[in-house]
Amino acid sequence: MAKLPGAGTPLIDLDLYRTFVAIAETSSFTKASELVGRTPSAVSMQIKKLETLLQVSVFAREGRTVRLTPEGEALLGYARRILMLNEEAVGLFVSPEVEGEVRFGAPSDFGTRFLPNILSRFARTHPGVNVDVHLDGSPKLDEKVRKRELDLALFTARPGSGLARSGEVVFREPLVWVGLEGGIAYEREPVPLAVSTPGCPWRRAARVALDDAQKPYRISYTSFHSAGQEAALLADLAIAPFPASVVAPPLQVLDSRHGLPEIGDYHIIMVERPSAGRATHAFAKHVEESFRELSLSLPN
């Protein structure tokens, strides 16, 4: 009789892989425990069991945060692939009956930031569902859902606004002022802004913050896409309101030390068309889970 693959090799429970990946992505045992639905002590015991099985340390603890050891970095790729294969295998039998089309809308700048993860995880478990993606401005997306032209939409909104009250908040994050590292655009009077077109919640939030602080400003550059705004920042011609999580060199966050007021949070709202079908409900669940994981991975 042929020997079974893996015979004699210790088997690692999928829950151990799931907890390991959660800690690796959040750099925190506490945040990971929320993500996997276990207590922090249970999570610690799982990692101890994993390290005992592999006879290596996969995390190095540094105060309240943890980082992957070289052995942990090597394991992470395997763990993600194993969990992905398990998801595909289960999805093949559990969800084959969900078919149809989801007409999904999102702001244009979501195209490269959020959608790849949402679409890829949904495709693995619901291969029979076609997702028709529409990118547009937030007010237009809300209108299209109300007109039943879209089944589901995400859009950005300021807390307390009419848009924010029309759906479910799936993600919230601070807006911050952003400029070029070592730049001087923020020192100009009036301060030059690079913003989106009228109707954008980020543009409105930035203007309200500056008006309340009685700080003079002018709209110097306008672009529907954030890439156009970023071009003005990289040329040190303006500053802009961006989500805190997207700021990376050569751009930097500007704050009160640069004479700028706080802008506040922005919300990502999800709205589902009334009487939407099973495919839309399934897609909405994946959207919620994706943003929940993203929220836990962000620093406090």
Side-chain angles (χ1 to χ4, degrees):
M1 180 180 293
K3 185 179 180 181
L4 287 173
T9 301
L11 293 178
I12 297 177
D13 192 290
L14 287 176
D15 281 341
L16 299 185
Y17 280 128
R18 189 173 291 110
T19 298
F20 166 71
V21 171
I23 297 171
E25 292 181 347
T26 62
S27 299
S28 166
F29 275 64
T30 301
K31 288 183 177 180
S33 68
E34 297 174 11
L35 196 59
V36 301
R38 294 176 179 269
T39 64
S41 60
V43 165
S44 296
M45 290 179 63
Q46 283 186 300
I47 295 306
K48 183 176 181 180
K49 181 177 181 180
L50 178 64
E51 292 178 330
T52 300
L53 284 170
L54 298 178
Q55 300 180 10
V56 295
S57 295
V58 294
F59 290 113
R61 291 153 181 82
E62 298 177 343
R64 294 185 178 181
T65 63
V66 294
R67 62 173 176 82
L68 288 166
T69 63
E71 293 79 9
E73 290 178 353
L75 178 63
L76 184 59
Y78 287 105
R80 283 176 171 154
R81 283 188 308 209
I82 290 169
L83 291 172
M84 185 181 300
L85 286 172
N86 177 73
E87 188 176 26
E88 289 179 3
V90 173
L92 180 64
F93 299 99
V94 172
S95 304
E97 73 281 4
V98 180
E99 298 181 344
E101 180 181 70
V102 177
R103 297 171 300 171
F104 172 64
S108 298
D109 292 332
F110 282 21
T112 56
R113 189 179 178 209
F114 298 122
L115 295 192
N117 179 54
I118 293 172
L119 295 177
S120 63
R121 68 181 295 166
F122 185 70
R124 290 196 299 269
T125 56
H126 296 79
V129 177
N130 176 55
V131 182
D132 184 12
V133 178
H134 299 254
L135 301 179
D136 210 332
S138 292
K140 290 185 178 180
L141 293 170
D142 183 46
E143 180 182 355
K144 287 181 178 179
V145 174
R146 286 188 280 107
K147 290 182 176 180
R148 297 177 177 268
E149 296 173 5
L150 292 175
D151 302 307
L152 188 76
L154 294 173
F155 48 81
T156 56
R158 296 174 60 229
S161 65
L163 281 177
R165 292 190 293 269
S166 65
E168 174 190 356
V169 177
V170 293
F171 184 70
R172 66 190 72 206
E173 182 182 12
L175 282 174
V176 295
W177 296 109
V178 182
L180 182 67
E181 287 182 342
I184 60 172
Y186 70 91
E187 298 178 351
R188 298 191 177 99
E189 290 284 351
V191 63
L193 302 183
V195 292
S196 185
T197 50
C200 171
W202 298 355
R203 173 178 173 142
R204 172 65 177 165
R207 298 188 67 171
V208 168
L210 293 172
D211 286 339
D212 289 347
Q214 298 184 353
K215 186 171 182 64
Y217 65 90
R218 63 186 178 89
I219 305 298
S220 299
Y221 299 90
T222 303
S223 173
F224 183 68
H225 299 283
S226 61
Q229 300 158 38
E230 186 175 340
L233 305 188
L234 293 173
D236 196 24
L237 298 175
I239 65 173
F242 277 3
S245 64
V246 305
V247 183
L251 300 179
Q252 67 170 350
V253 173
L254 306 173
D255 52 29
S256 58
R257 294 169 296 180
H258 305 88
L260 295 167
E262 290 187 2
I263 306 175
D265 290 351
Y266 81 99
H267 291 172
I268 293 179
I269 310 296
M270 182 174 70
V271 175
E272 188 172 339
R273 176 180 62 81
S275 304
R278 294 177 61 195
T280 300
H281 294 328
F283 189 76
K285 182 178 179 181
H286 275 257
V287 170
E288 291 175 339
E289 291 175 352
S290 294
F291 278 110
R292 180 171 177 267
E293 292 176 3
L294 176 60
S295 296
L296 291 170
S297 69
L298 295 177
N300 292 323

